[in-house]
Amino acid sequence: MSVGKVFHPGISSNHSDDSPYSWSVPPYHPSSEQYENTKTCKGPDGELHANLLCPVDVAEVPEGTLPDKQSTEEAIRLLEKMKSSTSPFFLAVGYHKPHIPFRYPKEFQKLYPLESITLAPDPQVPAGLPPVAYNPWMDIRQREDVQALNLSVPYGPIPVDFQRKIRQSYFASVSYLDTQVGQLLSALEALQLANSTIVAFTSDHGWALGEHGEWAKYSNFDVTTRVPLMFYVPGRTAPLPEAGDKLFPYINPFDSVSALMEPGREAVDLVELVSLFPTLAGLAGLHIPPRCPIPSFHVQLCREGQSLLKHFRFHDSEEDVALHGNPRESIAYSQYPRPADSPQWNSDKPSLKDIKVMGYSIRTIDYRYTVWVGFNPQEFLANFSDVHAGELYFVDSDPLQDHNMYNDTQGGDLPHSLTP
């Protein structure tokens, strides 16, 4: 069952949320989704605009609701239906926020007073950043309130006071999302499904909030490639609750005093989202498909990620350290395309035919290494002998990735393990 924005719309999901192949019932999309990018944001002039920053009075917007609220309601309805079913179920709930525009109930701004909002710790474009690596955040420039700032392209910068407003609305959008997740988990428990349901929480990408002078998601930096990944597995990640106790009590963020929750276990290993499928399959007791061969077009079912089941094997509430191996052996990969070596109007989202350069990135526990190489969009081939630029950041000495050491290593000192 699919609720909300689970697949990206358009050709990437066959214009159908991959239905009927991925779902046994038609995917659900909230009716108010159609207003997300329309003029529903009341500006200082009292008129409605299509803004980036869009705190709203929910009672005044079309249909008197918001997409994520509708998705929560539909997801709870489906859970109620599953309560009386003897069949196992898979329910994917895709929330829109904190995706732009930041359209959320305006009361959530109160949680983040503007005077307490700080700027990004590194709001300047790093001196050693190759131009090909920079994303000019063209999507937010198209919003009416950002257009009114009359910013220069590609580097901006955005005025400091507006930067604070963006960060405030992003944080408020996250807290609004958090209440929706809280309501959904609280319903799961109220329906007595929590003791038999695995829950995974994740996202498809991060979002730059002024770091490196960038905004949005179109880069290979940690701030855009890292995502939350949390699991609840009954009896493994948390003991089953005693009678009268609650695993997922709903906590109202506007209450003056909020109860502290017992933190879960934290794993420091690098993992990738391609591991989500084999991990959930294994936790559910299903057969984990074999790794995909190259090429894999002839294989009906296979996997690319490795299972993370080792992280869920606990003994007497203590982790078995031997199961985790050497964290320095873990590698996460990402890549991002560019149409040219310098930022231009389509740098963030180039069409396939326009891709000329591809940035391939390796993240280990010690460093992030990115190489920008020539790319043939007709053959889907990268030419690693055609290096346009490179980036190398060491985590311990440069956790924010502001000091590119790539050119300092080109005299022959680059470790063999860093070469593509």
Side-chain angles (χ1 to χ4, degrees), residues 164-231:
R164 288 194 171 92
K165 290 179 180 178
I166 294 177
R167 290 169 65 86
Q168 177 195 42
S169 276
Y170 184 91
F171 301 151
S173 295
V174 171
S175 287
Y176 162 54
L177 161 72
D178 189 61
T179 62
Q180 300 305 305
V181 175
Q183 290 171 20
L184 183 57
L185 292 177
S186 182
L188 182 77
E189 185 166 31
L191 292 167
Q192 299 180 334
L193 293 170
N195 288 356
S196 58
T197 304
I198 297 166
V199 179
F201 178 87
T202 190
S203 179
D204 55 349
H205 55 75
W207 214 79
L209 287 164
E211 296 87 354
H212 314 111
E214 293 185 328
W215 303 84
K217 59 186 178 183
Y218 310 105
S219 80
N220 276 315
F221 281 119
D222 273 14
V223 72
T224 61
T225 58
R226 294 188 67 181
V227 298
L229 182 60
M230 294 181 279
F231 292 91

Side-chain angles (χ1 to χ4, degrees), residues 4 11 33 65 79 98 177-179 201 273 321 369 372-373 396:
I11 187 61
E33 191 177 276
T65 188
L79 288 177
L177 161 72
D178 189 61
T179 62
F201 178 87
L273 287 181
V321 179
Y369 173 56
W372 298 88
V373 301
D396 284 345

Side-chain angles (χ1 to χ4, degrees), residues 108 175 178-180 182-183 186 247-255 257-262:
F108 283 88
S175 287
D178 189 61
T179 62
Q180 300 305 305
Q183 290 171 20
S186 182
L247 269 173
F248 302 119
Y250 177 73
I251 299 175
N252 190 328
F254 299 103
D255 287 346
V257 179
S258 294
L260 293 177
M261 298 296 292
E262 185 73 21

Side-chain angles (χ1 to χ4, degrees), residues 1 6 111 120 156 176 192 201 239 243 245 248 261 268 284 291-292 302 311 343 346-347 357 359 381 394 408 415:
M1 299 175 289
V6 175
L111 299 174
Y176 162 54
Q192 299 180 334
F201 178 87
D245 291 343
F248 302 119
M261 298 296 292
V268 296
R291 284 188 175 274
C292 294
C302 61
H311 293 286
N346 62 340
S347 287
V357 186
L381 291 176
F394 292 102
D408 296 343

